[in-house]
PDB file of all heavy atoms in Angstrom:
ATOM      1  N   ILE A   1     -28.301  10.139  33.006  1.00  0.00           N
ATOM      2  CA  ILE A   1     -27.382  10.533  34.112  1.00  0.00           C
ATOM      3  C   ILE A   1     -27.939  11.788  34.693  1.00  0.00           C
ATOM      4  O   ILE A   1     -28.031  11.971  35.968  1.00  0.00           O
ATOM      5  CB  ILE A   1     -25.933  10.822  33.543  1.00  0.00           C
ATOM      6  CG1 ILE A   1     -25.206   9.463  33.185  1.00  0.00           C
ATOM      7  CG2 ILE A   1     -25.174  11.600  34.539  1.00  0.00           C
ATOM      8  CD1 ILE A   1     -23.946   9.649  32.527  1.00  0.00           C
ATOM      9  N   LYS A   2     -28.439  12.740  33.933  1.00  0.00           N
ATOM     10  CA  LYS A   2     -28.961  13.982  34.454  1.00  0.00           C
ATOM     11  C   LYS A   2     -30.318  13.759  35.193  1.00  0.00           C
ATOM     12  O   LYS A   2     -30.520  14.444  36.141  1.00  0.00           O
ATOM     13  CB  LYS A   2     -29.274  14.955  33.251  1.00  0.00           C
ATOM     14  CG  LYS A   2     -27.930  15.424  32.543  1.00  0.00           C
ATOM     15  CD  LYS A   2     -28.288  16.346  31.387  1.00  0.00           C
ATOM     16  CE  LYS A   2     -26.925  16.755  30.683  1.00  0.00           C
ATOM     17  NZ  LYS A   2     -27.255  17.581  29.411  1.00  0.00           N
ATOM     18  N   SER A   3     -31.041  12.756  34.800  1.00  0.00           N
ATOM     19  CA  SER A   3     -32.309  12.477  35.450  1.00  0.00           C
ATOM     20  C   SER A   3     -32.141  11.610  36.720  1.00  0.00           C
ATOM     21  O   SER A   3     -33.010  11.477  37.545  1.00  0.00           O
ATOM     22  CB  SER A   3     -33.277  11.767  34.523  1.00  0.00           C
ATOM     23  OG  SER A   3     -32.865  10.470  34.243  1.00  0.00           O
ATOM     24  N   GLY A   4     -30.909  10.961  36.833  1.00  0.00           N
ATOM     25  CA  GLY A   4     -30.642  10.139  38.027  1.00  0.00           C
ATOM     26  C   GLY A   4     -31.054   8.709  37.836  1.00  0.00           C
ATOM     27  O   GLY A   4     -30.935   7.903  38.833  1.00  0.00           O
ATOM     28  N   THR A   5     -31.504   8.378  36.670  1.00  0.00           N
ATOM     29  CA  THR A   5     -31.917   6.866  36.467  1.00  0.00           C
ATOM     30  C   THR A   5     -30.714   6.041  36.244  1.00  0.00           C
ATOM     31  O   THR A   5     -30.816   4.788  36.334  1.00  0.00           O
ATOM     32  CB  THR A   5     -32.896   6.764  35.266  1.00  0.00           C
ATOM     33  OG1 THR A   5     -32.324   7.343  34.094  1.00  0.00           O
ATOM     34  CG2 THR A   5     -34.137   7.463  35.573  1.00  0.00           C
ATOM     35  N   LEU A   6     -29.521   6.562  35.991  1.00  0.00           N
ATOM     36  CA  LEU A   6     -28.298   5.881  35.926  1.00  0.00           C
ATOM     37  C   LEU A   6     -27.266   6.682  36.617  1.00  0.00           C
ATOM     38  O   LEU A   6     -27.317   7.862  36.658  1.00  0.00           O
ATOM     39  CB  LEU A   6     -27.799   5.631  34.460  1.00  0.00           C
ATOM     40  CG  LEU A   6     -28.567   4.502  33.613  1.00  0.00           C
ATOM     41  CD1 LEU A   6     -27.939   4.584  32.187  1.00  0.00           C
ATOM     42  CD2 LEU A   6     -28.324   3.215  34.305  1.00  0.00           C
ATOM     43  N   ARG A   7     -26.296   5.956  37.261  1.00  0.00           N
ATOM     44  CA  ARG A   7     -25.252   6.664  37.973  1.00  0.00           C
ATOM     45  C   ARG A   7     -23.853   6.470  37.281  1.00  0.00           C
ATOM     46  O   ARG A   7     -23.484   5.326  37.077  1.00  0.00           O
ATOM     47  CB  ARG A   7     -25.109   6.182  39.425  1.00  0.00           C
ATOM     48  CG  ARG A   7     -24.071   6.858  40.235  1.00  0.00           C
ATOM     49  CD  ARG A   7     -24.322   6.803  41.720  1.00  0.00           C
ATOM     50  NE  ARG A   7     -24.600   5.423  42.228  1.00  0.00           N
ATOM     51  CZ  ARG A   7     -23.749   4.510  42.401  1.00  0.00           C
ATOM     52  NH1 ARG A   7     -22.476   4.719  42.148  1.00  0.00           N
ATOM     53  NH2 ARG A   7     -24.134   3.309  42.864  1.00  0.00           N
ATOM     54  N   PRO A   8     -23.209   7.533  36.940  1.00  0.00           N
ATOM     55  CA  PRO A   8     -21.874   7.335  36.260  1.00  0.00           C
ATOM     56  C   PRO A   8     -20.833   7.022  37.313  1.00  0.00           C
ATOM     57  O   PRO A   8     -20.800   7.656  38.481  1.00  0.00           O
ATOM     58  CB  PRO A   8     -21.667   8.658  35.614  1.00  0.00           C
ATOM     59  CG  PRO A   8     -22.360   9.618  36.573  1.00  0.00           C
ATOM     60  CD  PRO A   8     -23.606   8.950  37.059  1.00  0.00           C
ATOM     61  N   VAL A   9     -19.915   6.131  36.963  1.00  0.00           N
ATOM     62  CA  VAL A   9     -18.828   5.805  37.839  1.00  0.00           C
ATOM     63  C   VAL A   9     -17.554   6.541  37.390  1.00  0.00           C
ATOM     64  O   VAL A   9     -16.867   7.217  38.179  1.00  0.00           O
ATOM     65  CB  VAL A   9     -18.558   4.263  37.886  1.00  0.00           C
ATOM     66  CG1 VAL A   9     -17.318   3.977  38.748  1.00  0.00           C
ATOM     67  CG2 VAL A   9     -19.834   3.504  38.385  1.00  0.00           C
ATOM     68  N   ALA A  10     -17.324   6.513  36.086  1.00  0.00           N
ATOM     69  CA  ALA A  10     -16.071   7.142  35.560  1.00  0.00           C
ATOM     70  C   ALA A  10     -16.059   7.258  34.025  1.00  0.00           C
ATOM     71  O   ALA A  10     -16.723   6.355  33.412  1.00  0.00           O
ATOM     72  CB  ALA A  10     -14.805   6.443  36.045  1.00  0.00           C
ATOM     73  N   VAL A  11     -15.453   8.246  33.491  1.00  0.00           N
ATOM     74  CA  VAL A  11     -15.265   8.386  32.019  1.00  0.00           C
ATOM     75  C   VAL A  11     -14.062   7.624  31.654  1.00  0.00           C
ATOM     76  O   VAL A  11     -13.119   7.490  32.488  1.00  0.00           O
ATOM     77  CB  VAL A  11     -15.311   9.844  31.571  1.00  0.00           C
ATOM     78  CG1 VAL A  11     -16.682  10.405  31.780  1.00  0.00           C
ATOM     79  CG2 VAL A  11     -14.278  10.616  32.240  1.00  0.00           C
ATOM     80  N   THR A  12     -13.948   7.260  30.332  1.00  0.00           N
ATOM     81  CA  THR A  12     -12.795   6.498  29.971  1.00  0.00           C
ATOM     82  C   THR A  12     -11.688   7.370  29.320  1.00  0.00           C
ATOM     83  O   THR A  12     -10.598   6.780  29.075  1.00  0.00           O
ATOM     84  CB  THR A  12     -13.230   5.465  28.876  1.00  0.00           C
ATOM     85  OG1 THR A  12     -13.736   6.169  27.753  1.00  0.00           O
ATOM     86  CG2 THR A  12     -14.317   4.468  29.449  1.00  0.00           C
ATOM     87  N   SER A  13     -11.916   8.607  29.147  1.00  0.00           N
ATOM     88  CA  SER A  13     -10.904   9.523  28.664  1.00  0.00           C
ATOM     89  C   SER A  13      -9.872   9.822  29.772  1.00  0.00           C
ATOM     90  O   SER A  13     -10.120   9.586  30.946  1.00  0.00           O
ATOM     91  CB  SER A  13     -11.527  10.814  28.170  1.00  0.00           C
ATOM     92  OG  SER A  13     -12.367  11.366  29.142  1.00  0.00           O
ATOM     93  N   ALA A  14      -8.667  10.288  29.310  1.00  0.00           N
ATOM     94  CA  ALA A  14      -7.578  10.539  30.310  1.00  0.00           C
ATOM     95  C   ALA A  14      -7.949  11.605  31.261  1.00  0.00           C
ATOM     96  O   ALA A  14      -7.511  11.482  32.475  1.00  0.00           O
ATOM     97  CB  ALA A  14      -6.321  10.902  29.579  1.00  0.00           C
ATOM     98  N   VAL A  15      -8.727  12.563  30.887  1.00  0.00           N
ATOM     99  CA  VAL A  15      -9.109  13.618  31.759  1.00  0.00           C
ATOM    100  C   VAL A  15     -10.681  13.739  31.719  1.00  0.00           C
ATOM    101  O   VAL A  15     -11.394  13.116  30.886  1.00  0.00           O
ATOM    102  CB  VAL A  15      -8.628  14.998  31.312  1.00  0.00           C
ATOM    103  CG1 VAL A  15      -7.092  14.993  31.391  1.00  0.00           C
ATOM    104  CG2 VAL A  15      -9.067  15.339  29.866  1.00  0.00           C
ATOM    105  N   ARG A  16     -11.237  14.391  32.690  1.00  0.00           N
ATOM    106  CA  ARG A  16     -12.746  14.549  32.708  1.00  0.00           C
ATOM    107  C   ARG A  16     -13.254  15.252  31.531  1.00  0.00           C
ATOM    108  O   ARG A  16     -12.621  16.059  30.875  1.00  0.00           O
ATOM    109  CB  ARG A  16     -13.077  15.294  33.987  1.00  0.00           C
ATOM    110  CG  ARG A  16     -12.632  14.619  35.331  1.00  0.00           C
ATOM    111  CD  ARG A  16     -13.170  15.398  36.522  1.00  0.00           C
ATOM    112  NE  ARG A  16     -12.745  14.740  37.747  1.00  0.00           N
ATOM    113  CZ  ARG A  16     -13.249  14.849  38.912  1.00  0.00           C
ATOM    114  NH1 ARG A  16     -14.424  15.550  39.027  1.00  0.00           N
ATOM    115  NH2 ARG A  16     -12.838  14.347  40.000  1.00  0.00           N
ATOM    116  N   SER A  17     -14.549  14.892  31.252  1.00  0.00           N
ATOM    117  CA  SER A  17     -15.209  15.579  30.143  1.00  0.00           C
ATOM    118  C   SER A  17     -15.527  16.966  30.551  1.00  0.00           C
ATOM    119  O   SER A  17     -16.067  17.206  31.627  1.00  0.00           O
ATOM    120  CB  SER A  17     -16.438  14.827  29.721  1.00  0.00           C
ATOM    121  OG  SER A  17     -17.268  15.550  28.931  1.00  0.00           O
ATOM    122  N   GLY A  18     -15.356  17.933  29.660  1.00  0.00           N
ATOM    123  CA  GLY A  18     -15.719  19.342  29.936  1.00  0.00           C
ATOM    124  C   GLY A  18     -17.176  19.546  30.076  1.00  0.00           C
ATOM    125  O   GLY A  18     -17.615  20.518  30.630  1.00  0.00           O
ATOM    126  N   ASN A  19     -17.919  18.540  29.526  1.00  0.00           N
ATOM    127  CA  ASN A  19     -19.408  18.660  29.570  1.00  0.00           C
ATOM    128  C   ASN A  19     -19.979  17.984  30.766  1.00  0.00           C
ATOM    129  O   ASN A  19     -21.074  18.289  31.176  1.00  0.00           O
ATOM    130  CB  ASN A  19     -19.956  17.961  28.308  1.00  0.00           C
ATOM    131  CG  ASN A  19     -19.427  18.683  27.018  1.00  0.00           C
ATOM    132  OD1 ASN A  19     -19.527  19.816  26.788  1.00  0.00           O
ATOM    133  ND2 ASN A  19     -18.782  17.871  26.126  1.00  0.00           N
ATOM    134  N   PHE A  20     -19.186  17.109  31.438  1.00  0.00           N
ATOM    135  CA  PHE A  20     -19.606  16.443  32.692  1.00  0.00           C
ATOM    136  C   PHE A  20     -18.448  16.535  33.657  1.00  0.00           C
ATOM    137  O   PHE A  20     -17.906  15.396  33.997  1.00  0.00           O
ATOM    138  CB  PHE A  20     -20.065  15.020  32.359  1.00  0.00           C
ATOM    139  CG  PHE A  20     -21.405  14.926  31.576  1.00  0.00           C
ATOM    140  CD1 PHE A  20     -21.463  14.968  30.342  1.00  0.00           C
ATOM    141  CD2 PHE A  20     -22.586  14.752  32.342  1.00  0.00           C
ATOM    142  CE1 PHE A  20     -22.655  14.900  29.599  1.00  0.00           C
ATOM    143  CE2 PHE A  20     -23.812  14.672  31.625  1.00  0.00           C
ATOM    144  CZ  PHE A  20     -23.839  14.702  30.292  1.00  0.00           C
ATOM    145  N   PRO A  21     -18.064  17.645  34.100  1.00  0.00           N
ATOM    146  CA  PRO A  21     -16.804  17.774  34.909  1.00  0.00           C
ATOM    147  C   PRO A  21     -16.948  17.074  36.253  1.00  0.00           C
ATOM    148  O   PRO A  21     -15.936  16.841  36.884  1.00  0.00           O
ATOM    149  CB  PRO A  21     -16.682  19.280  35.096  1.00  0.00           C
ATOM    150  CG  PRO A  21     -18.087  19.884  34.917  1.00  0.00           C
ATOM    151  CD  PRO A  21     -18.711  18.944  33.885  1.00  0.00           C
ATOM    152  N   ASN A  22     -18.088  16.656  36.707  1.00  0.00           N
ATOM    153  CA  ASN A  22     -18.227  15.990  38.038  1.00  0.00           C
ATOM    154  C   ASN A  22     -17.933  14.524  37.987  1.00  0.00           C
ATOM    155  O   ASN A  22     -17.863  13.867  39.047  1.00  0.00           O
ATOM    156  CB  ASN A  22     -19.576  16.291  38.581  1.00  0.00           C
ATOM    157  CG  ASN A  22     -19.844  17.740  38.981  1.00  0.00           C
ATOM    158  OD1 ASN A  22     -18.904  18.459  39.327  1.00  0.00           O
ATOM    159  ND2 ASN A  22     -21.093  18.241  38.878  1.00  0.00           N
ATOM    160  N   ILE A  23     -17.848  13.966  36.737  1.00  0.00           N
ATOM    161  CA  ILE A  23     -17.581  12.511  36.629  1.00  0.00           C
ATOM    162  C   ILE A  23     -16.071  12.290  36.590  1.00  0.00           C
ATOM    163  O   ILE A  23     -15.355  12.812  35.640  1.00  0.00           O
ATOM    164  CB  ILE A  23     -18.177  11.972  35.381  1.00  0.00           C
ATOM    165  CG1 ILE A  23     -19.757  12.300  35.391  1.00  0.00           C
ATOM    166  CG2 ILE A  23     -18.032  10.428  35.287  1.00  0.00           C
ATOM    167  CD1 ILE A  23     -20.374  11.809  34.054  1.00  0.00           C
ATOM    168  N   PRO A  24     -15.411  11.573  37.491  1.00  0.00           N
ATOM    169  CA  PRO A  24     -14.030  11.310  37.421  1.00  0.00           C
ATOM    170  C   PRO A  24     -13.579  10.524  36.279  1.00  0.00           C
ATOM    171  O   PRO A  24     -14.468   9.870  35.639  1.00  0.00           O
ATOM    172  CB  PRO A  24     -13.712  10.679  38.846  1.00  0.00           C
ATOM    173  CG  PRO A  24     -15.017  10.010  39.103  1.00  0.00           C
ATOM    174  CD  PRO A  24     -16.065  10.904  38.561  1.00  0.00           C
ATOM    175  N   SER A  25     -12.334  10.436  35.985  1.00  0.00           N
ATOM    176  CA  SER A  25     -11.850   9.566  34.913  1.00  0.00           C
ATOM    177  C   SER A  25     -11.200   8.354  35.497  1.00  0.00           C
ATOM    178  O   SER A  25     -10.866   8.349  36.705  1.00  0.00           O
ATOM    179  CB  SER A  25     -10.758  10.259  34.054  1.00  0.00           C
ATOM    180  OG  SER A  25      -9.679  10.484  34.776  1.00  0.00           O
ATOM    181  N   ILE A  26     -11.214   7.294  34.769  1.00  0.00           N
ATOM    182  CA  ILE A  26     -10.510   6.068  35.222  1.00  0.00           C
ATOM    183  C   ILE A  26      -9.078   6.266  35.481  1.00  0.00           C
ATOM    184  O   ILE A  26      -8.531   5.810  36.468  1.00  0.00           O
ATOM    185  CB  ILE A  26     -10.729   4.848  34.210  1.00  0.00           C
ATOM    186  CG1 ILE A  26     -12.251   4.501  34.172  1.00  0.00           C
ATOM    187  CG2 ILE A  26      -9.861   3.635  34.553  1.00  0.00           C
ATOM    188  CD1 ILE A  26     -12.482   3.448  33.032  1.00  0.00           C
ATOM    189  N   ALA A  27      -8.470   7.110  34.612  1.00  0.00           N
ATOM    190  CA  ALA A  27      -7.008   7.422  34.802  1.00  0.00           C
ATOM    191  C   ALA A  27      -6.679   8.133  36.059  1.00  0.00           C
ATOM    192  O   ALA A  27      -5.832   7.748  36.772  1.00  0.00           O
ATOM    193  CB  ALA A  27      -6.628   8.367  33.623  1.00  0.00           C
ATOM    194  N   GLU A  28      -7.451   9.018  36.544  1.00  0.00           N
ATOM    195  CA  GLU A  28      -7.301   9.804  37.741  1.00  0.00           C
ATOM    196  C   GLU A  28      -7.669   8.924  38.984  1.00  0.00           C
ATOM    197  O   GLU A  28      -7.249   9.243  40.138  1.00  0.00           O
ATOM    198  CB  GLU A  28      -8.056  11.128  37.811  1.00  0.00           C
ATOM    199  CG  GLU A  28      -9.584  10.933  38.061  1.00  0.00           C
ATOM    200  CD  GLU A  28     -10.282  12.229  38.159  1.00  0.00           C
ATOM    201  OE1 GLU A  28     -10.424  12.837  37.120  1.00  0.00           O
ATOM    202  OE2 GLU A  28     -10.794  12.587  39.215  1.00  0.00           O
ATOM    203  N   SER A  29      -8.325   7.762  38.688  1.00  0.00           N
ATOM    204  CA  SER A  29      -8.741   6.891  39.789  1.00  0.00           C
ATOM    205  C   SER A  29      -7.746   5.770  40.105  1.00  0.00           C
ATOM    206  O   SER A  29      -8.007   4.812  40.851  1.00  0.00           O
ATOM    207  CB  SER A  29     -10.144   6.298  39.490  1.00  0.00           C
ATOM    208  OG  SER A  29     -11.063   7.275  39.205  1.00  0.00           O
ATOM    209  N   GLY A  30      -6.510   6.027  39.516  1.00  0.00           N
ATOM    210  CA  GLY A  30      -5.470   4.977  39.836  1.00  0.00           C
ATOM    211  C   GLY A  30      -4.928   4.247  38.685  1.00  0.00           C
ATOM    212  O   GLY A  30      -3.900   3.382  38.779  1.00  0.00           O
ATOM    213  N   PHE A  31      -5.439   4.425  37.448  1.00  0.00           N
ATOM    214  CA  PHE A  31      -4.980   3.723  36.295  1.00  0.00           C
ATOM    215  C   PHE A  31      -4.594   4.773  35.218  1.00  0.00           C
ATOM    216  O   PHE A  31      -5.348   5.022  34.201  1.00  0.00           O
ATOM    217  CB  PHE A  31      -6.076   2.807  35.805  1.00  0.00           C
ATOM    218  CG  PHE A  31      -6.558   1.809  36.833  1.00  0.00           C
ATOM    219  CD1 PHE A  31      -7.628   2.034  37.656  1.00  0.00           C
ATOM    220  CD2 PHE A  31      -5.790   0.608  37.074  1.00  0.00           C
ATOM    221  CE1 PHE A  31      -8.050   1.237  38.652  1.00  0.00           C
ATOM    222  CE2 PHE A  31      -6.217  -0.185  38.100  1.00  0.00           C
ATOM    223  CZ  PHE A  31      -7.343   0.037  38.794  1.00  0.00           C
ATOM    224  N   LYS A  32      -3.388   5.329  35.385  1.00  0.00           N
ATOM    225  CA  LYS A  32      -2.942   6.498  34.627  1.00  0.00           C
ATOM    226  C   LYS A  32      -2.886   6.307  33.177  1.00  0.00           C
ATOM    227  O   LYS A  32      -2.973   7.228  32.396  1.00  0.00           O
ATOM    228  CB  LYS A  32      -1.563   6.874  35.238  1.00  0.00           C
ATOM    229  CG  LYS A  32      -1.488   7.389  36.672  1.00  0.00           C
ATOM    230  CD  LYS A  32      -0.202   7.818  37.084  1.00  0.00           C
ATOM    231  CE  LYS A  32      -0.126   8.261  38.537  1.00  0.00           C
ATOM    232  NZ  LYS A  32       1.200   8.598  39.054  1.00  0.00           N
ATOM    233  N   GLU A  33      -2.628   5.051  32.752  1.00  0.00           N
ATOM    234  CA  GLU A  33      -2.531   4.793  31.295  1.00  0.00           C
ATOM    235  C   GLU A  33      -3.849   4.477  30.577  1.00  0.00           C
ATOM    236  O   GLU A  33      -3.881   4.436  29.397  1.00  0.00           O
ATOM    237  CB  GLU A  33      -1.601   3.597  31.079  1.00  0.00           C
ATOM    238  CG  GLU A  33      -0.221   3.638  31.753  1.00  0.00           C
ATOM    239  CD  GLU A  33       0.626   4.865  31.155  1.00  0.00           C
ATOM    240  OE1 GLU A  33       0.511   5.036  29.937  1.00  0.00           O
ATOM    241  OE2 GLU A  33       1.218   5.511  31.922  1.00  0.00           O
ATOM    242  N   PHE A  34      -4.871   4.490  31.393  1.00  0.00           N
ATOM    243  CA  PHE A  34      -6.198   4.221  30.716  1.00  0.00           C
ATOM    244  C   PHE A  34      -6.768   5.487  30.012  1.00  0.00           C
ATOM    245  O   PHE A  34      -6.959   6.579  30.660  1.00  0.00           O
ATOM    246  CB  PHE A  34      -7.164   3.856  31.792  1.00  0.00           C
ATOM    247  CG  PHE A  34      -8.348   2.914  31.252  1.00  0.00           C
ATOM    248  CD1 PHE A  34      -8.347   1.595  31.405  1.00  0.00           C
ATOM    249  CD2 PHE A  34      -9.335   3.490  30.447  1.00  0.00           C
ATOM    250  CE1 PHE A  34      -9.319   0.764  30.921  1.00  0.00           C
ATOM    251  CE2 PHE A  34     -10.415   2.649  29.985  1.00  0.00           C
ATOM    252  CZ  PHE A  34     -10.379   1.315  30.224  1.00  0.00           C
ATOM    253  N   ASP A  35      -6.863   5.441  28.696  1.00  0.00           N
ATOM    254  CA  ASP A  35      -7.316   6.628  27.950  1.00  0.00           C
ATOM    255  C   ASP A  35      -8.073   6.105  26.698  1.00  0.00           C
ATOM    256  O   ASP A  35      -7.309   5.746  25.701  1.00  0.00           O
ATOM    257  CB  ASP A  35      -6.174   7.529  27.655  1.00  0.00           C
ATOM    258  CG  ASP A  35      -6.562   8.706  26.853  1.00  0.00           C
ATOM    259  OD1 ASP A  35      -7.724   9.072  26.815  1.00  0.00           O
ATOM    260  OD2 ASP A  35      -5.661   9.388  26.283  1.00  0.00           O
TER     261      ASP A  35
END
């Protein structure tokens, strides 16, 4: 992800990862119960 060879779409946790704050979560993208 850091090198750009893969692109992240979303993390599966309810909130964003503190270590990768620029990656949105599936929950905030319209699926609130996904965690």
Side-chain angles (χ1 to χ4, degrees):
I1 289 173
K2 291 174 182 177
S3 68
T5 54
L6 284 175
R7 179 158 50 79
V9 177
V11 292
T12 62
S13 49
V15 296
R16 300 188 183 202
S17 167
N19 303 303
F20 288 85
N22 293 328
I23 306 176
S25 68
I26 293 176
E28 74 179 70
S29 303
F31 303 94
K32 297 180 180 179
E33 302 301 317
F34 206 104
D35 181 15

